[in-house]
Amino acid sequence: QVQLVESGGGLVQAGGSLRLSCAASGRTFSDYVMGWFRQAPGKERDFVARVKWRDGITWYADSVKGRFTISRDNAKNTAYLQMNSLKPEDTAVYYCAAKYAGTNTYPYWGQGTQVTVSS
C-alpha cells in the first residue's frame, strides 16, 4: 500500500520561505514520478512541480519557476518542495502525489498540508 505523508506547511510572511516534505512508503519508487499540487479556497487543484525519481528531471508551473525547487532524496524515500519568495497567492493546501512514469494520472495522494502566506 503506497502511503504519502506531507509535512512542513505553516504560516509565513510574504517573501519568506518554507520547505515541504513528502515521505513515501509502500514500494520502490525508482520508476515513479512525484508531483506537488495545490488547491486554494474555491479553486481547482493545480499542478506545481514534479520530479522523476530515477533521474531527477524536473518540471514546474510557470507561476513558480525560479522560486520553487522540487527534489528527492533516494535514501530517505522523500520528496521536497523548497518554496522561496513566497507570495500571498501561493496560499493553498499543498498535496504530494505519485504516479508510475509514463502514465497520465496520479493514483496516490497525500493528505495535504496548509501553506498560508500573509501580506
Side-chain angles (χ1 to χ4, degrees):
Q1 181 74 10
V2 172
Q3 188 172 17
L4 305 175
V5 180
E6 302 102 330
S7 60
L11 174 64
V12 64
Q13 289 189 332
S17 298
L18 281 174
R19 188 177 81 156
L20 305 182
S21 300
C22 174
S25 62
R27 63 184 57 190
T28 302
F29 290 93
S30 55
D31 292 320
Y32 277 70
V33 172
M34 306 299 290
W36 285 97
F37 294 77
R38 65 186 181 186
Q39 188 167 21
K43 296 189 177 181
E44 294 186 352
R45 188 175 299 184
D46 290 331
F47 166 76
V48 175
R50 65 178 183 267
V51 59
K52 286 182 68 176
W53 202 275
R54 181 174 294 278
D55 54 21
I57 294 177
T58 58
W59 295 264
Y60 296 93
D62 288 343
S63 58
V64 306
K65 279 181 183 176
R67 300 188 299 123
F68 290 12
T69 303
I70 189 171
S71 62
R72 84 274 187 258
D73 184 325
N74 290 345
K76 295 183 178 180
N77 250 18
T78 300
Y80 302 98
L81 186 68
Q82 177 67 42
M83 306 185 294
N84 299 329
S85 302
L86 282 161
K87 306 175 182 179
E89 52 264 43
D90 294 318
T91 295
V93 177
Y94 283 70
Y95 298 89
C96 71
K99 65 172 183 174
Y100 196 78
T103 60
N104 293 326
T105 59
Y106 287 83
Y108 307 110
W109 291 83
Q111 81 287 353
T113 185
Q114 176 70 47
V115 171
T116 302
V117 184
S118 64
S119 57

